[in-house]
Amino acid sequence: MKEPNLKWIYLIILSIIWGSSFILIKKSLLGLTPYQLGALRTIISGVILLTLGFNKLKVIPKHKWKWLFLSGLCGSFIPAFFFAIAETEIDSAVVSVLNSLVPLNTILLGFAVFRISSTLRQITGVAIGFIGTAILILKGADLNPNQNYLYAGFVIASTLMYAANVNIIKRYLQDVKPLAIAAGNYFFIVIPAFIILLFTDFFTTERLHHPDLISSIIYVVILSVFGTALAKLFFYKLVQISTPVFASSVTYIMPIVALAWGILDGEAFSLMQGLASLLILVGVYLSHKRKT
């Protein structure tokens, strides 16, 4: 299959997987604290990826390891906790919308820090998508006036880290296999995640007898296997066969999937948000083009 078509397939699959992750986080929080959720998600994903890719670690050049550490910290470890914390106060669909800031931050960081250029057409596409995102945010605030939007800061911080991660992968890890990148990331962060879990009340009698614990753990396992482990491999491959801006544009389609899940779960949605979603799709189309 030709690479231009292949990257779109990766983009659509990732959008469905990651768009569904926000409702899984919401359901997981019924029986877990944000720190327990973030730690368990990291541990389970790490066990899977290290089992599959441990033998790939020995072929990674030594000078690449510092970038793998930064990639794991920015792209996996901290956001796993920040998104869980954000969803204690903000609807899952709104969090996914805020996550759409990633492509804008990817362009800004790529130009300012990593010296990766973007075309005028890409910038225009991101701007259109950002306008759609802004409309979704404003309408979400109107529909949910009781939500604490200060917690949006956790999501915005995560988008900056995701943007840094995608540029790190494109600039410094382009020649490293996706499975090796994923395994290398979790080689650094699995043990810290387990230490954090030990300092929560996860192993107490009260938590272990929580009525929603079993269902929450099931949701975390699904989230870890598909939303983290499998999705990481797809995403790293997507970054390598496309551009940082195109790869990060997955966050433009994710809110549409997340909003659909939100509606099914009783979260509010308006016609204006639907129109904003169409703007987002236009932004995705424009941002993947390389011509000015």
Side-chain angles (χ1 to χ4, degrees):
M1 185 176 293
K2 292 183 179 180
E3 203 167 81
N5 295 328
L6 186 60
K7 70 181 182 181
W8 278 102
I9 291 174
Y10 275 112
L11 184 73
I12 293 169
I13 293 174
L14 278 169
S15 299
I16 295 172
I17 293 175
W18 273 340
S20 302
S21 295
F22 299 96
I23 195 68
L24 290 172
I25 293 173
K26 178 180 179 180
K27 296 299 184 182
S28 299
L29 289 169
L30 295 176
L32 297 168
T33 68
Y35 293 100
Q36 291 166 351
L37 171 53
L40 285 171
R41 181 181 181 182
T42 302
I43 293 168
I44 296 170
S45 301
V47 169
I48 295 170
L49 290 169
L50 286 170
T51 299
L52 294 174
F54 189 78
N55 62 336
K56 304 289 185 182
L57 299 181
K58 59 185 177 182
V59 302
I60 300 174
K62 290 183 179 180
H63 68 279
K64 300 284 187 181
W65 279 99
K66 62 181 179 182
W67 301 114
L68 285 169
F69 169 71
L70 290 174
S71 174
L73 199 65
C74 294
S76 300
F77 187 70
I78 299 176
F81 294 96
F82 276 14
F83 275 100
I85 293 171
E87 286 203 33
T88 61
E89 292 288 339
I90 305 174
D91 278 347
S92 61
V94 176
V95 170
S96 73
V97 168
L98 291 171
N99 195 49
S100 297
L101 291 169
V102 173
L104 177 62
N105 290 333
T106 299
I107 284 183
L108 296 177
L109 287 178
F111 176 76
V113 179
F114 298 94
R115 298 294 185 263
I116 298 175
S117 63
S118 295
T119 67
L120 178 60
R121 185 163 185 170
Q122 285 179 309
I123 296 172
T124 302
V126 170
I128 292 173
F130 183 71
I131 291 171
T133 297
I135 295 172
L136 280 169
I137 292 172
L138 292 173
K139 288 301 175 182
D142 289 340
L143 291 172
N144 304 283
N146 296 324
Q147 293 181 2
N148 186 351
Y149 273 77
L150 290 177
Y151 278 69
F154 288 102
V155 184
I156 293 171
S158 295
T159 65
L160 287 167
M161 286 183 277
Y162 280 155
N165 181 44
V166 73
N167 280 297
I168 287 171
I169 294 169
K170 189 64 179 180
R171 185 173 179 86
Y172 301 109
L173 301 173
Q174 175 69 19
D175 56 343
V176 180
K177 296 293 185 182
L179 182 55
I181 296 175
N185 288 164
Y186 281 86
F187 177 80
F188 288 107
I189 65 178
V190 163
I191 293 178
F194 185 73
I195 292 173
I196 290 175
L197 185 64
L198 289 177
F199 280 90
T200 68
D201 65 349
F202 182 74
F203 296 103
T204 62
T205 301
E206 181 181 0
R207 178 61 57 179
L208 293 176
H209 287 86
H210 193 287
D212 294 313
L213 180 64
I214 299 300
S215 60
S216 292
I217 290 178
I218 292 173
Y219 286 126
V220 174
V221 171
I222 296 172
L223 178 65
S224 301
V225 173
F226 293 98
T228 303
L230 182 62
K232 289 286 183 187
L233 298 179
F234 282 5
F235 182 68
Y236 295 153
K237 180 63 176 179
L238 178 61
V239 172
Q240 292 177 337
I241 66 174
S242 63
T243 67
V245 172
F246 180 82
S248 63
S249 66
V250 67
T251 59
Y252 278 167
I253 307 177
M254 283 162 52
I256 299 172
V257 178
L259 282 166
W261 280 115
I263 292 172
L264 293 175
D265 199 50
E267 296 179 7
F269 181 74
S270 68
L271 176 61
M272 186 60 70
Q273 286 177 302
L275 294 175
S277 298
L278 291 178
L279 276 181
I280 289 172
L281 289 175
V282 172
V284 173
Y285 174 75
L286 291 176
S287 68
H288 96 282
K289 294 292 185 179
R290 291 302 298 175
K291 295 179 180 180
T292 55

